[in-house]
Amino acid sequence: MDAALKRRLEARFGDRLTAPVYQRHDETEIRIGPGDVPDVCRTLHDDADFRFILLADVAGVDTGEVMQVVYHLWSDTSPDWLRVVADGLSRDDPRVPSITFLWQGAEWMEREAYDMFGITFEGNRDLRRIYMPPDYQSFPLRKDFFLPDDAARSPGAGVRHMEQSHTPRNARPGETMRKVRA
Amino acid sequence: MTAVARSWSRLTLAGKILFTVVPILLVLTAGLLLVIVVAGKPIVDFLAANMWLVRFVIAATAVLLMSVPSAFLIIYMEMKVIALMNLRIGPDRVGPFGSLLSVVHGLKVLMKEDFSPTGADRLVFTLAPVVVYMSAVMSLLVLPFAPRIFGADFNIGLLYLFGIGGLTVVGLLMGGWSSFNKYSLLGGLRSAAQVISYEIPLTLSVVGLLILAGTMSLNQLSINQSGWFTNWYVFQQPLGALIFFIAATAEANRTPFDLTEADSEIVAGFATEYSGMRFGFFFFAEYVNVFVVSGLIVTLFFGGWNAPFAWPEAWAIHLNLDLGSLGMGLLFGLLLVPPILILALAAPFYVGRSSLPWWQALIIGFVLFNLLVIVLIGGWAFISLDWVAGLLWFLLKSYIFVFIFVWMRGTLPRVRIDQLMGFAWKWLLPASLLNLFVTALAVIVISPR
Amino acid sequence: MTAAPPRGHLHQEPPSDDPRVQLDEAAGVFEPVPPYPPRTEREAEFYTLGDGEMFINMGPQHPSTHGVLRIVLKLDGENVVDLDPVLGYLHRGVEKLCENADYHHSIAYLDPLEYIASLFCEWPGVLAFEKLLDVQVPRRAEYIRVLCTELNRILSHSMFIGWMALDLGGLTPILYGLIERDEIAEMLAALTGQRLLYNYLRIGGVNGDINHEFMSRLGDWMSRATTQIEANTTLLNENEIFVRRMRGLGKMDKETAFRMAMTGPNLRASGVPLDFRRAHPYSVFPELEFDIPTREEGDCLARYLVRIDEIKQSLRIIDQCIHNMPDGPVTAKLPRLLRPRPGRAYAAVEGPRGQYAAYVISDGTDQPFRMRIHDPSFVHLQAVGVLMPGHLIADAMAVMASLDPIMGGVDK
């Protein structure tokens, strides 16, 4: 709960934040639009009173309504973790500029987000699947991922499945999808 | 099912063995007798006229037969010694203390499927292990095991050895290239570079020794080192001995220079695509090489077959037995003495332990009898016959060096290829040249001719 | 000559007019080149050969990759020009599995991520759940958590020493490392019931108190631990060959380390004294006294020595835990059916490889909505692509071993 950090963030990025700065326990969260990601991250990285030089995590999130990309940063100027949520990516064609120009180590984390959600990181020089085979059709961690459907379209089609997915066989993906306001 | 098949399937296992082996033996015996009767004399005459052929065949057979058991022993030793250094147990199931493991490995290797990978050059692929193994075995020809026990005494024996050692490179390259596999290629090239680089310090480090000894014959070198151990050439050429030891480790592809088979980098190097008896040949060749290299170090620098002290002639027990004078007594002696001794040795066990069945006591007696005979005759031979003593001293010293090689394998990590080459060319080569110059200078100064 | 594999609708013929693209099917060569056109510019750049270069595939089965990792190396003789790691051979979909499981059950899914350091994989998940549920963990449970995780850290580092030496060719240190691992595994088996995947941490505490057997084994081991570790490491530290091969290799300076998002001993070996136990304290670490070993050089030797120093610091921490262990319960009282408030929580711990973290989104039901697991080995393996080129294959193996990846964590 770093109030000073909240003030600095609001002062610096006030106009770009799409939601109030949210703090709980030892985390501070800001939400920005996807287009603001390079500028905000560069400011957080370079600026003397932020100095968030350690990238802790890059995660993709599918809330059921929109997609998000969540960055976690750490700095020695603040006792809090900073969470930057790039909110409001559409579920049909999620696109976010890549931050590999700042942290090359984000390359694989962005690849994983692409592999699992289909989020395209513009500027990542190597955006291909990292876990799933290269000819895999779906994006597994999406909320509308429907395993038998995917298996029917993949090269192993026609194999009888022993497991039942939680979604009933004849359900249309949109109806039983989990949603959250997060 | 035919009558033959039915009868065959009714036989027990012992019956089957009997019915297969006995006819074959009969046929072979009959054939041999026939050959002897018909063409015996011409064959014997031919051989008598060409004794060199007989000697060669006997020497080659002996050398081939000798290499396999020594490889077995060194393989077992390596596994057991490295295991004990790693604080584990190693082989201990097959045979007492796992000593039959090598035999089992040999059998297993014989029973594997014989294939060559797609795209491999069949002929070269098959010949590569042969070349490597043969070069290792041919080196055994000139090693002097004892005063009159050696394959051939060339007066350029050392040069012959270095030449044959170079043949190993050809074999490794053949194996690496013909496997159609990039790992093998890398391994083969690494090994070629390594062996070629280390041949120069190897040869140069011995030249100082040659200047001192004046001969390249290994037999003569061993004779020169007779007497007290201060005669050994290691005290006259310490730097040469050290360089030779290091270069020989590299020649034999042993740790820390075992990049050719570095299994944490390039799986198995040149031998990646080999399995079965072909791999067995590579495997055996490596260990025969270890023995050859140890034998060479011992011969050149550590006295060969000589004991560390001067073997006094007075110790020899000359048994002037005239066995012919015993006549029939000899036959009676041979027939009666062993059983009496066996019974005499078994009796204390049978009497002392009431739970021991009589046949177990007899077996113990038999074993003890054998041990007694070996100790008596062996001890007499060791003391009196110079060739037995020489053989045993040579083997003891060689196996001490084999143990040192195995010790290094268990302890040291391996060097990198560029560090290896740098070491050979930048350190060992100048050091061996220095050794050579200092020796030559010393010879000129001390005893000018 | 084997027939070409059947081509489905996805596999297109690569442009065959480019002579530098290796697809030498006619010769029967199996080149590790993907049978489809390159998907990105980086893939295209990698899979075109320059003059005198060749591909070698260090496949998923290899004695020296730390698990199932496939690396396609582009070599110029023995020099590594470039490399392309291919992951996914151990991908189990842990994040998706956790979404379909209870909060309690998902802890068991977190174990096999980094199977050597499994308590560190459970811990951030448990911490994140506790943040969402606002659970207060009893002090005794916190001390037990620190105790068993520090033991796990020593186990992981002992194995690291062994693997490091094994990749360089020394056959003995791995067995010494296994002796250490075995003793600690027996200890933790007395405590948790398992030797490898402990499944010991629970939301609000741990699963069961310390028992007599654990304490006796621990005391017995602690009395010999320092000398034993000293003996294990002197074999390597004073070995000229070992030191010469590791010194100056894979140098990573501070800027590169931050750029590659490194954490843990890899970062501390480059001169950055960042340890989340001190920088962002959690659990009872503010009360414990220990140092943060840091080295300046940033080469493989520094990474190796930093981990040895960390073992010694862990021994100090264990000592303090044993002496200061408070009494009390070992779990907080929680209902069986957990429904945390909707929200987000992020928790990170300092593990033997770096920062293990979990980002949990809860939607008010009894299953996590999103369970994001951050694993240090995944991030560090990218550094291999930055540090390896320019070195020989043998060095490449040494560099990868010194970064200490565990493929379970890389592949999740």
Side-chain angles (χ1 to χ4, degrees), chain C residues 194-398:
Chain C
Q194 283 285 342
R195 281 175 59 109
L196 186 67
L197 305 175
Y198 305 109
N199 194 11
Y200 182 56
L201 302 186
R202 298 281 181 269
I203 306 176
V206 290
N207 180 35
D209 208 343
I210 302 181
N211 53 29
H212 187 69
E213 192 189 342
F214 172 73
M215 283 315 287
S216 71
R217 278 184 193 266
L218 181 63
D220 189 33
W221 177 75
M222 287 288 288
S223 61
R224 315 177 248 120
T226 320
T227 39
Q228 214 163 312
I229 288 169
E230 211 50 44
N232 291 352
T233 48
T234 36
L235 179 64
L236 291 175
N237 292 7
E238 297 172 3
N239 190 323
E240 177 68 23
I241 299 178
F242 187 72
V243 168
R244 270 259 291 246
R245 272 194 73 178
M246 296 223 294
R247 182 177 291 146
L249 185 65
K251 256 185 165 2
M252 199 164 53
D253 54 349
K254 283 188 202 177
E255 288 77 33
T256 316
F258 277 117
R259 196 164 50 93
M260 303 304 299
M262 295 251 142
T263 46
N266 294 332
L267 185 63
R268 291 196 279 282
S270 302
V272 179
L274 176 60
D275 186 329
F276 287 110
R277 295 175 287 179
R278 282 271 183 258
H280 196 98
Y282 52 96
S283 188
V284 290
F285 283 108
E287 302 167 22
L288 295 171
E289 263 185 43
F290 59 97
D291 302 321
I292 305 175
T294 316
R295 301 232 163 212
E296 294 297 321
E297 304 95 42
D299 55 6
C300 288
L301 191 59
R303 291 194 273 270
Y304 168 79
L305 291 172
V306 155
R307 287 181 168 96
I308 296 182
D309 293 335
E310 279 190 12
I311 297 181
K312 299 185 182 132
Q313 297 304 318
S314 288
L315 285 170
R316 268 176 82 181
I317 297 176
I318 294 175
D319 211 17
Q320 291 169 60
C321 280
I322 299 176
H323 288 130
N324 302 341
M325 179 83 65
D327 291 321
V330 291
T331 24
K333 281 231 168 295
L334 282 178
R336 199 180 196 104
L337 197 62
L338 285 174
R339 289 222 174 88
R341 53 168 184 82
R344 286 92 52 201
Y346 182 81
V349 302
E350 175 78 22
R353 270 157 208 92
Q355 184 213 170
Y356 293 73
Y359 174 52
V360 182
I361 302 180
S362 148
D363 60 346
T365 62
D366 55 346
Q367 293 176 337
F369 184 81
R370 168 86 168 106
M371 176 88 184
R372 157 73 182 167
I373 298 148
H374 173 85
D375 193 275
S377 300
F378 180 57
V379 176
H380 295 177
L381 206 54
Q382 298 172 81
V384 142
V386 164
L387 294 174
M388 259 205 217
H391 293 304
L392 307 174
I393 302 181
D395 287 342
M397 292 301 107

Side-chain angles (χ1 to χ4, degrees), chain B residues 237-249:
Chain B
Q237 287 273 295
L239 184 61
L242 184 65
I243 298 172
F244 188 81
F245 181 73
I246 298 175
T249 319

